[in-house]
Amino acid sequence: MAFQHFRDSMNQSAVIAEPAVALNTLAQSSETPALSCRGAEILIRGLIANGVDTIFGLPGGAVLHIYDELWRYRNDITHYLVRHEQGAVHAAEGYARATGKVGVALVTSGPGATNAVTGIATAYMDSIPLVVITGQVPTGLIGTDAFQEVDTFGITLPVVKHSYLVRKAEDLEDIINEAFFIASSGKPGPVVIDIPKDVTAQITEYRGGTDGFAEYHEYHSEPDRPVVEAVVRKILAAKQPVFYVGGGVVSSGASDELISLVEKLNIPVTPTLMGLGGFPSAHTNSLGMLGMHGTYASNLAVAESDLLIAVGVRFDDRVTGKLNTFAPNAEVIHIDIDASNMGKLRKPQIPVVSDAATALAAINTSLESESLDTERLATWWQKIREWQAAVPLGCSGSEDEIDPQCLIETLHEVTEGDAVIVTDVGQHQMWAAQFYPFKRSRQCLTSGGLGTMGFGLPAAMGARIALPDQMVVAVVGDGGFQMTNQEIITAIQYNVPLKVVIMNNGYLGMVRQWQEMFYDRTYSEVDLSVSPDFVKLAEAYGAKGLRATKPSELRSVLKEGLEYDGVAIMDIVVKKEENVFPIVPAGGESRNMILK
C-alpha cells in the first residue's frame, strides 16, 4: 500500500526527504470537486482540512501570498501576530503541549526561518507535534544568495522529524496532509514545510480531503503477547521494582493505564521532568521527580532497585548522571515507541517498542488473570518511606525575604493546584517541578531536552489560547523573561489574559549556582541587577504590574494578579543566592546527592 514505509520510518529521529511524493491515489478518493486555486489558498485550505483554526506567525515578503489568503479565510483561522519568530514557534509549542494537537507557526524566509530554529529544536528535543511553514525565495533564485535566502531545509534538517522544500504547487496539498500525519503519528515531532514564493502564486487544482491518512492515524504498535507475558513475569518476580516514567506517558495519553497498573501492583513511581503530571505528584506511590534535582527518595530507590520499568523515557543524562552507575543492580523493561531508543544508552532485558498507552493497557489486561499480593513489597516500601522521612523537600520560610520554594508552594495554594504551569528554564523551573504537585497530564509545560530560556512566556500564551477556560501561569526567571517579553504585547493585542510570575533574584540563577558550587564562587557575567523595572515595563505594555518584596506581601500579590481580568505581570523578588537542592553534580553518581 502507498506509504507503507511511513510505518517503518515515522519513529526515526529525522527523515531526509526530497519534496513531496504525490498521494494522488489517496487524495482523489475525496468527493470534493476539484477547484482551481493558487498555491497559497491550497495551503490554507489544507490547514483547515487538517483541523487547524489557530496559527502563530509574523509576515514578510516571501509569504505575502499566504497572508493574503489568510485574510480571506480569517473567519476559519485565527492568526496571532507575534513580535518575534521564536515567540511564534514557542506559542505553537504551548498550544500543542497543552492539547496534544499539532501546533502551527508561519514565518517568512531568511531571518524569519532562522529565528524560528530555536523553537523547532525545542519541540524536536521534547517530541512536540508542530508544522512550521517557512517562506522561501522564488525557485529560480534558490542557490543564488538572493535577498533573505537561507537553506532552511538544510539548516533545520538535524532538528526536525521531516522537512520539505516544495517545488510545485500541485504537490502542496499532499505535502500538507503528509506533514500533519508525520508530526502527530508515532513519536511526535516538528515538520518544516519550506515554500518558495512563486509556488504560492502558481495555479493548480485543489482536490480536498485527508481521508487517505485515517488508517495511519489509527495505527498503534502493539506489543506481542509473549513479550507482555514476559513483562508480567518479570514484574511479579521483582522485590524492589520502580516505575521510571517520562514524556511518552503524557504524549500517548497513558496516565489512566499507568495509575491502574501502579495501584494493582503497589509499585513506586518516579517521573522525569517531562513526565510530571503523567502520574499524580500527590499520589501515595509517587516518589517525586528523579535525576539531577530529583528527590532523595527517588534517586535512592532507583539506585537500589532490582527492576526498572522505564516507560516513555530515553535515559537522559540529566536523569542518569554517570550512566554506568545508574540503577546498577536493576534489570530493565523499556517501553517506548521509538525503536532507536532501545539500547542506545541502557540495554534493556525486555525491550517493548510500543505506544505507552497501548503497552500499559496490554499489561493491565494480562494481569487480570493473576492473583496479586499488594503487600508483597512491604519491606521495599518501608525502606522508601525511611528515605522520604530522612530528606523531605521543604520550605524553611523567612520573615525578611521570600524563599523561592515558598513562592511555588503559595502559588499552588492560591491556584488550588489546578493551574497549568508553564515554566522557563533555570532554578525556578526546578523549584516548580519540586514544589507544585501536578494532578494530571499536560499540567506542567516546560522545555526539557533543549533547556530553552525564553520559552515560558510565549508558550504560556499559546497554552492559554488553547485552553480558554483554564488558568495558565507562566513561571519565569528574570533572565529568561527578558529574552521574549515582547510577546506581552501580543497577549494584550488579542486579549489573552496571560499571567506571568517572575522569580526575580537578580541573577542568571542556575549558572550562578554552578559557579558558586563548582567554580569557587567566581560569578562571571551572571549579574542581572541592572534590569528594567518590571512593574513599569508591564504598565508600558498595557498590562497590570505588581511586585512583592516581603513574605507578607506574597499571597496578596499573587491573588490580585491571578484574579485580574487581563494580562498581569507579578515581579516576585526572592532570595538572591538560594540554591536548588538536592543536586547531583553533572556526570556524578545519582546516589551521591549534595543535599544542602
Side-chain angles (χ1 to χ4, degrees):
M1 176 178 286
F3 293 95
Q4 178 67 33
H5 67 282
F6 279 118
R7 290 191 172 183
D8 303 320
S9 68
M10 66 185 178
N11 295 325
Q12 296 176 3
S13 59
V15 181
I16 301 176
E18 275 302 312
V21 183
L23 306 180
N24 293 333
T25 303
L26 299 178
Q28 287 177 355
S29 65
S30 171
E31 297 179 1
T32 305
L35 299 171
S36 291
C37 304
R38 60 176 173 170
E41 185 175 3
I42 289 173
L43 172 64
I44 302 304
R45 283 178 170 268
L47 294 175
I48 294 169
N50 280 279
V52 176
D53 58 14
T54 302
I55 293 178
F56 303 91
L58 189 66
V63 289
L64 285 181
H65 296 312
I66 299 171
Y67 272 89
D68 187 49
E69 293 296 342
L70 266 176
W71 179 256
R72 300 175 195 275
Y73 284 88
R74 61 190 180 276
N75 292 329
D76 301 293
I77 295 181
T78 300
H79 177 278
Y80 291 86
L81 174 63
V82 299
R83 299 314 193 258
H84 191 283
E85 290 89 353
Q86 182 178 344
V89 184
H90 288 329
E93 280 188 82
Y95 185 97
R97 290 173 192 255
T99 62
K101 299 178 181 178
V102 179
V104 180
L106 170 61
V107 301
T108 194
S109 63
T114 57
N115 283 345
V117 171
T118 296
I120 295 168
T122 303
Y124 177 72
M125 290 291 282
D126 290 344
S127 302
I128 305 302
L130 292 185
V131 170
V132 179
I133 300 156
T134 59
Q136 185 54 273
V137 300
T139 52
L141 294 178
I142 291 176
T144 68
D145 294 329
F147 177 66
Q148 291 193 333
E149 180 193 1
V150 298
D151 179 7
T152 302
F153 182 95
I155 288 171
T156 61
L157 192 59
V159 291
V160 295
K161 190 175 178 185
H162 202 91
S163 280
Y164 299 93
L165 172 59
V166 186
R167 296 281 185 173
K168 298 178 293 183
E170 64 194 60
D171 294 333
L172 192 51
E173 181 180 354
D174 297 332
I175 285 175
I176 297 162
N177 294 336
E178 189 175 304
F180 275 83
F181 158 67
I182 293 172
S184 59
S185 299
K187 179 182 179 181
V191 176
V192 168
I193 307 176
D194 195 34
I195 311 177
K197 187 172 183 179
D198 59 319
V199 172
T200 63
Q202 291 171 8
I203 304 297
T204 190
E205 289 188 345
Y206 173 75
R207 298 179 301 277
T210 60
D211 294 344
F213 289 92
E215 174 187 352
Y216 299 102
H217 280 289
E218 294 300 318
Y219 172 71
H220 294 287
S221 175
E222 295 193 24
D224 295 332
R225 184 176 180 81
V227 173
V228 174
E229 291 174 349
V231 167
V232 169
R233 288 194 300 272
K234 191 72 74 175
I235 291 173
L236 294 180
K239 295 180 180 179
Q240 297 188 163
V242 173
F243 272 102
Y244 153 41
V245 302
V249 170
V250 174
S251 62
S252 69
S255 183
D256 289 344
E257 294 291 350
L258 176 61
I259 293 169
S260 175
L261 185 56
V262 167
E263 291 180 346
K264 283 176 185 173
L265 298 166
N266 195 26
I267 291 176
V269 181
T270 180
T272 67
L273 177 65
M274 294 302 298
L276 288 171
F279 187 81
S281 301
H283 194 286
T284 186
N285 286 58
S286 176
L287 308 184
M289 185 176 71
L290 82 164
M292 178 174 282
H293 293 292
T295 65
Y296 182 73
S298 66
N299 281 334
L300 283 187
V302 169
E304 296 292 327
S305 65
D306 63 359
L307 179 66
L308 199 60
I309 309 155
V311 186
V313 298
R314 54 187 176 87
F315 292 85
D316 179 75
D317 65 287
R318 284 299 188 264
V319 166
T320 66
K322 188 177 181 180
L323 186 61
N324 63 6
T325 65
F326 180 71
N329 303 313
E331 293 188 296
V332 174
I333 297 167
H334 191 182
I335 300 170
D336 199 273
I337 200 165
D338 187 353
S340 71
N341 278 338
M342 296 299 167
K344 182 170 67 176
L345 294 171
R346 177 69 179 262
K347 184 178 180 180
Q349 276 63 46
I350 304 179
V352 184
V353 180
S354 173
D355 169 82
T358 305
L360 295 181
I363 296 168
N364 268 314
T365 300
S366 184
L367 282 169
E368 290 174 358
S369 60
E370 300 287 343
S371 178
L372 302 177
D373 177 10
T374 57
E375 295 302 314
R376 72 182 187 86
L377 301 178
T379 303
W380 179 223
W381 272 113
Q382 181 180 352
K383 188 181 294 188
I384 289 171
R385 296 307 185 205
E386 289 173 358
W387 291 330
Q388 289 177 316
V391 187
L393 293 174
C395 172
S396 59
S398 167
E399 294 184 0
D400 302 317
E401 298 178 287
I402 299 172
D403 286 330
Q405 302 92 330
C406 294
L407 163 56
I408 300 299
E409 286 188 341
T410 306
L411 179 64
H412 178 259
E413 292 168 7
V414 171
T415 60
E416 299 181 345
D418 285 328
V420 173
I421 302 298
V422 187
T423 81
D424 216 271
V425 171
Q427 288 181 311
H428 66 276
Q429 178 190 34
M430 294 299 103
W431 282 314
Q434 291 176 336
F435 290 93
Y436 196 106
F438 295 99
K439 300 178 180 179
R440 60 189 184 276
S441 289
R442 305 191 186 280
Q443 191 184 1
C444 175
L445 312 182
T446 192
S447 170
L450 197 63
T452 306
M453 290 178 65
F455 166 86
L457 192 155
M461 180 178 68
R464 187 64 177 82
I465 288 166
L467 305 171
D469 299 320
Q470 176 69 59
M471 170 70 73
V472 177
V473 181
V475 177
V476 303
D478 46 326
F481 174 72
Q482 294 184 73
M483 292 185 173
T484 52
N485 63 25
Q486 68 273 8
E487 301 309 335
I488 293 171
I489 201 64
T490 307
I492 292 288
Q493 179 176 349
Y494 295 99
N495 298 313
V496 181
L498 185 64
K499 311 300 179 189
V500 181
V501 174
I502 305 171
M503 192 179 286
N504 183 354
N505 59 12
Y507 279 115
L508 293 170
M510 189 62 84
V511 182
R512 184 213 57 78
Q513 176 173 338
W514 280 47
Q515 289 175 340
E516 175 188 336
M517 297 181 70
F518 309 121
Y519 294 87
D520 197 28
R521 296 180 66 90
T522 302
Y523 289 176
S524 177
E525 304 305 329
V526 289
D527 183 5
L528 295 181
S529 59
V530 179
S531 288
D533 180 324
F534 294 134
V535 171
K536 290 181 179 178
L537 181 66
E539 292 170 348
Y541 276 120
K544 187 175 188 65
L546 298 163
R547 179 178 292 118
T549 60
K550 297 181 294 186
S552 59
E553 300 169 338
L554 177 58
R555 184 178 296 272
S556 61
V557 165
L558 290 177
K559 197 169 187 300
E560 182 179 355
L562 295 174
E563 291 178 352
Y564 179 67
D565 185 20
V567 179
I569 311 298
M570 291 154 272
D571 180 19
I572 312 298
V573 181
V574 300
K575 286 182 179 178
K576 290 180 68 66
E577 296 189 45
E578 184 73 6
N579 291 333
V580 182
F581 293 107
I583 179 173
V584 178
E589 296 185 25
S590 58
R591 67 166 66 241
N592 294 335
M593 292 162 273
I594 300 172
L595 301 177
K596 208 64 179 174

